[in-house]
Amino acid sequence: MAKPLDYFFHFNSKRFGTNFQEFTRNWDAAFSMATSARDLSKIFCFAAQVVGVGNKKLLFKTDSQQLHARNFMISKTVAWQEKILGCEIEPTAGDVFRAFDAYNLLTTLPSEDFSRFGLKKSKEQMHTLGPNQFIYFSKYLTNLAIYPGDDWIKSWWSEIHQVIGEMEQAQIYHILRAVSIFDCLRPADIKTPSPTEEIGHMILDGIEEITPKGETLTLPSEVYFAAAWFGRDFVKDHRNQMEHNCHSRYERYFHDAVFALKGTESADVVIKGMDHTLDLSFIFHNVAVAFELDGFSHFIGDDRNGVMHYDGPTRFQSALIKKMMPEDMRVLRLPYSMSRTPLNNSQILQEMLENGSRQPAGVYVAHAANDVRPIEEPNAWSLSLKMA
C-alpha cells in the first residue's frame, strides 16, 4: 500500500513529534489516492482519532498544532463526503460506522445528505454490525443530537435483543443511556407510540428485578437518569454514582460576580429525583434563578449553517431538570462565550438576571442577556458561531 495511506492506517502507532505540515501533506496525498469507501472511511476515522477533541494521546508537537489539524479536517469534510458517496461500490454499514465515529470525534455534524444515506445504509445492514458497534453507533448519534428515526431504532433494538443476554452490565447501561437520550430527541410531532419508551421500560424491568430492596445502593447514572426519565421510582432510595458537586474555579468566579449584585442571595439547589446539584443557584429579588455554565464540550459544530448546536446529552439533562426541578425555578443554560462576557460587565449580568427572573418557571438557553429561549423552542438549541 502507498505510503500516504500507511501514514493514517498506522498513525496511532506513532509517538510524538508529528507536525501540522506533515499531517496535511499526507492527508492530501492519501485522500487523492483512496478510491474505495473502505479506505476513505478508514483514513477519515483514523485522522479524526488523532486530532479530535478529548484525544489523550497528543501526537503533535504542540496542542495548538493539534487544534489546527482538527480545523483542517473539518474543512475537508465536504470534499470527503462527496467522494465517498460517489464511490463505484457504495459504503457499507461498517464504513458508515467509522464515518460517524469521526464526526463524533471532530464534534461536527455531517451533511444532511450523508446522514440520510448513512442511516439508511446502516439500517439495511444492521445485522453486519457487532454488539460493541451497536453501543458506539448509538453513542455517536446521541452525542451529535441526531434522532435516527423510529424504524432505525427498531432495527437496532431487534439486533441487540438477540445478544443482550450475553452482554455485560456496563454494556446494557450504555444502551439504556442511548435509549433515554433518543427518547428525549424524538420529535414531538411524531404521534405514533415511541419505540424508545417501550425499550427503556423493558431494560429497566430487568434492572429492577436484580436491584436489592430495603438497602441504599449507589447506582450508575445511566440507570438513575433513565429511571427518572421514564418515571420509574425503584431508584428513589438509592444514590447517583456520577454526581460530583464541587465547583470549578470559573464557577466560583461567576458566583462571586453574581453575588456582588444588589438583591442577590446564594443558594444551593439539588434536583430531587436526579441527585443533581445545579452549577450555581441564587435568590434574586425573591425569585429562584439557577445557572448551568456550558463549556466547549457541550456543543457540536455546524459550519455549513454557521451555527453550533447543543449536544444530545446536554439536551437530555436539561429536559430531565425541567421535569424534576421545583416548580418555581428558572434555570438558564449559558454557552461558554455568554458566561464569560458578564464577568467584566456587571450591567450585562444584571440584565441577564432580571430577564431570567421575569420568565415563567422553566429551563432556558441564553442567546444574549435579553434573549433567553425556553428549551421547548426548536431554535433554542442552535446558536450563532459568532458566539463561539
Side-chain angles (χ1 to χ4, degrees):
M1 187 176 289
K3 185 178 177 182
L5 292 177
D6 280 338
Y7 177 84
F8 287 98
F9 290 168
H10 304 295
F11 205 101
N12 279 321
S13 65
K14 296 169 73 69
R15 292 287 181 177
F16 300 97
T18 299
N19 62 59
F20 176 68
Q21 290 75 20
E22 177 189 357
F23 179 87
T24 56
R25 183 172 62 251
N26 276 279
W27 170 265
D28 288 338
F31 179 72
S32 66
M33 298 176 68
T35 56
S36 70
R38 179 176 180 272
D39 283 352
L40 284 165
S41 68
K42 282 191 171 185
I43 61 170
F44 187 39
C45 184
F46 294 161
Q49 287 173 5
V50 174
V51 306
V53 172
N55 177 44
K56 302 299 183 184
K57 187 178 179 182
L58 181 65
L59 301 179
F60 291 85
K61 291 180 178 178
T62 66
D63 53 1
S64 175
Q65 287 198 5
Q66 181 166 352
L67 178 61
H68 287 317
R70 173 181 174 271
N71 291 336
F72 170 82
M73 286 302 304
I74 291 173
S75 74
K76 297 296 180 181
T77 56
V78 173
W80 178 87
Q81 287 174 168
E82 290 177 352
K83 187 168 184 177
I84 196 169
L85 292 177
C87 286
E88 184 175 347
I89 299 177
E90 284 191 341
T92 64
D95 300 327
V96 169
F97 172 82
R98 283 188 289 270
F100 277 100
D101 183 2
Y103 283 111
N104 176 63
L105 289 163
L106 294 172
T107 60
T108 192
L109 280 178
S111 69
E112 291 184 7
D113 286 345
F114 185 83
S115 291
R116 279 194 296 269
F117 171 84
L119 293 173
K120 179 176 181 292
K121 180 61 66 173
S122 57
K123 176 181 173 295
E124 292 171 351
Q125 299 182 358
M126 194 74 71
H127 62 281
T128 66
L129 301 177
N132 280 330
Q133 288 175 308
F134 297 142
I135 293 168
Y136 281 103
F137 210 149
S138 62
K139 176 185 176 181
Y140 304 151
L141 293 175
T142 54
N143 283 352
L144 295 168
I146 294 174
Y147 184 73
D150 288 2
D151 289 342
W152 190 96
I153 287 174
K154 289 174 183 176
S155 295
W156 172 74
W157 175 247
S158 176
E159 296 297 330
I160 291 174
H161 195 252
Q162 297 178 45
V163 297
I164 198 168
E166 304 166 14
M167 288 184 171
E168 298 177 358
Q169 283 296 111
Q171 293 176 303
I172 296 172
Y173 295 156
H174 286 308
I175 291 169
L176 179 60
R177 176 181 182 271
V179 169
S180 305
I181 299 175
F182 279 144
D183 195 64
C184 174
L185 295 174
R186 190 174 188 256
D189 58 359
I190 301 178
K191 303 305 180 184
T192 54
S194 168
T196 47
E197 184 175 2
E198 180 182 354
I199 296 166
H201 281 292
M202 195 180 305
I203 298 173
L204 287 167
D205 284 343
I207 294 173
E208 183 175 4
E209 285 182 10
I210 62 173
T211 301
K213 297 176 175 59
E215 57 182 297
T216 300
L217 303 175
T218 300
L219 299 177
S221 60
E222 297 93 339
V223 175
Y224 207 93
F225 290 156
W229 180 256
F230 290 114
R232 304 291 291 264
D233 63 1
F234 73 91
V235 299
K236 65 181 180 181
D237 296 322
H238 303 295
R239 293 185 297 269
N240 181 4
Q241 182 181 43
M242 296 300 292
E243 278 302 309
H244 303 288
N245 298 330
C246 58
H247 295 304
S248 68
R249 183 173 62 177
Y250 180 73
E251 287 171 349
R252 292 194 295 271
Y253 288 155
F254 193 90
H255 170 274
D256 292 344
V258 174
F259 191 60
L261 298 175
K262 186 177 180 181
T264 304
E265 300 175 32
S266 180
D268 281 337
V269 175
V270 178
I271 306 297
K272 294 181 179 180
M274 289 179 67
D275 197 18
H276 171 74
T277 302
L278 298 169
D279 286 347
L280 298 169
S281 305
F282 302 93
I283 304 299
F284 182 71
H285 295 315
N286 298 317
V287 177
V289 181
F291 295 95
E292 292 281 84
L293 307 185
D294 298 326
F296 181 81
S297 62
H298 289 264
F299 295 93
I300 302 296
D302 183 0
D303 289 1
R304 295 172 191 81
N305 296 308
V307 296
M308 58 183 184
H309 306 282
Y310 269 94
D311 64 15
T314 306
R315 300 188 196 196
F316 172 68
Q317 183 204 52
S318 302
L320 192 53
I321 287 173
K322 185 176 187 299
K323 181 177 181 179
M324 308 299 291
M325 71 183 190
E327 293 182 357
D328 60 345
M329 283 292 302
R330 290 118 182 107
V331 179
L332 303 183
R333 300 212 74 108
L334 300 188
Y336 51 93
S337 54
M338 270 297 301
S339 65
R340 281 156 175 72
T341 301
L343 290 184
N344 298 319
N345 192 322
S346 59
Q347 183 177 351
I348 291 178
L349 190 55
Q350 183 87 23
E351 183 180 359
M352 186 188 305
L353 273 169
E354 289 179 353
N355 188 24
S357 66
R358 288 195 298 265
Q359 306 302 319
V363 181
Y364 299 83
V365 177
H367 288 241
N370 60 355
D371 181 10
V372 297
R373 305 178 189 179
I375 60 172
E376 295 80 13
E377 288 188 7
N379 64 355
W381 296 116
S382 301
L383 302 99
S384 168
L385 282 173
K386 294 178 182 178
M387 296 183 67

